[in-house]
């Protein structure tokens, strides 16, 4: 059964909300890939923010795509972490797998990301946000996994 359209995208991690314009990567902060915001994580656990299907998992495990009932999400862990070639990243999902809000997607060794000189911010982009009536940030301050991060309307 296909996932329902998600009106709320939850936080992917325990951490601190980062608005789009403060994301440490211009591709995301300027909305090139769609509306997004982020979380500076307190730990290395990355969770599914919605019910959906894993549509993409990068070979380097730093990025996961989720198709969630018409919303297309990209979860990007850190900035320029593709250069780490998967070192410090562990996936708990595979492409085509159905996930539920709150399922563990990835485990990341944040100390390895920092040691490699990269920001640890986890970015959540709604890559088809132009197709929606409304996409707005909903997060603020300290977040727990699943707390409202982005609100959508079709």
């Amino acid at each position: 059964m296909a996932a329902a359209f998600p009106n709320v995208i939850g936080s992917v991690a325990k951490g601190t909300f980062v608005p789009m314009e403060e994301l440490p990567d211009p591709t995301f902060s300027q909305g090139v890939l769609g509306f997004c915001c982020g979380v500076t994580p307190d730990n290395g656990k990355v969770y599914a923010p919605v019910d959906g299907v894993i549509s993409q998992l990068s070979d380097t495990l730093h990025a996961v795509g989720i198709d969630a009932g018409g919303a297309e999400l990209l979860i990007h862990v850190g900035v320029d972490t593709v250069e780490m070639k998967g070192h410090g990243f562990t996936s708990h999902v595979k492409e085509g797998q159905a996930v539920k809000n709150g399922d563990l997607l990835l485990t990341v060794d944040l100390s390895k990301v920092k040691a490699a000189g990269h920001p640890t911010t986890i970015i959540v982009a709604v890559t088809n946000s132009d197709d929606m009536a409304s996409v707005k940030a909903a997060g603020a301050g300290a977040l727990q996994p699943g707390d409202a991060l982005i609100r959508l309307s079709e």
Side-chain angles (χ1 to χ4, degrees):
M1 185 175 125
F5 180 83
N7 294 107
V8 176
I9 307 298
S11 177
V12 292
K14 179 180 191 297
T16 307
F17 178 76
V18 181
M20 184 161 98
E21 59 275 7
E22 293 177 21
L23 292 171
D25 182 323
T27 300
F28 292 106
S29 65
Q30 295 170 12
V32 173
L33 297 177
F35 182 87
C36 50
C37 51
V39 179
T40 300
D42 290 350
N43 62 48
K45 293 188 181 339
V46 182
Y47 299 95
V50 291
D51 293 353
V53 174
I54 303 298
S55 56
Q56 183 237 333
L57 178 62
S58 70
D59 293 343
T60 50
L61 307 180
H62 74 286
V64 179
I66 299 178
D67 186 357
E72 295 167 10
L73 306 182
L74 173 66
I75 300 165
H76 193 283
V77 181
V79 175
D80 294 330
T81 45
V82 66
E83 295 169 6
M84 295 177 66
K85 298 182 174 41
H87 186 66
F89 292 77
T90 304
S91 174
H92 301 282
V93 293
K94 58 186 186 306
E95 281 187 23
Q97 180 179 333
V99 292
K100 293 277 187 205
N101 188 348
D103 285 355
L104 185 63
L105 299 176
L106 302 171
T107 307
V108 183
D109 186 332
L110 297 178
S111 63
K112 287 184 180 173
V113 175
K114 290 175 187 167
H118 303 300
T120 58
T121 307
I122 303 170
I123 300 163
V124 179
V126 182
T127 57
N128 64 338
S129 54
D130 288 350
D131 298 342
M132 304 195 184
S134 169
V135 183
K136 295 187 181 109
L143 297 170
Q144 293 294 327
D147 287 355
L149 189 68
I150 302 172
R151 292 196 191 282
L152 306 176
S153 57
E154 287 182 276

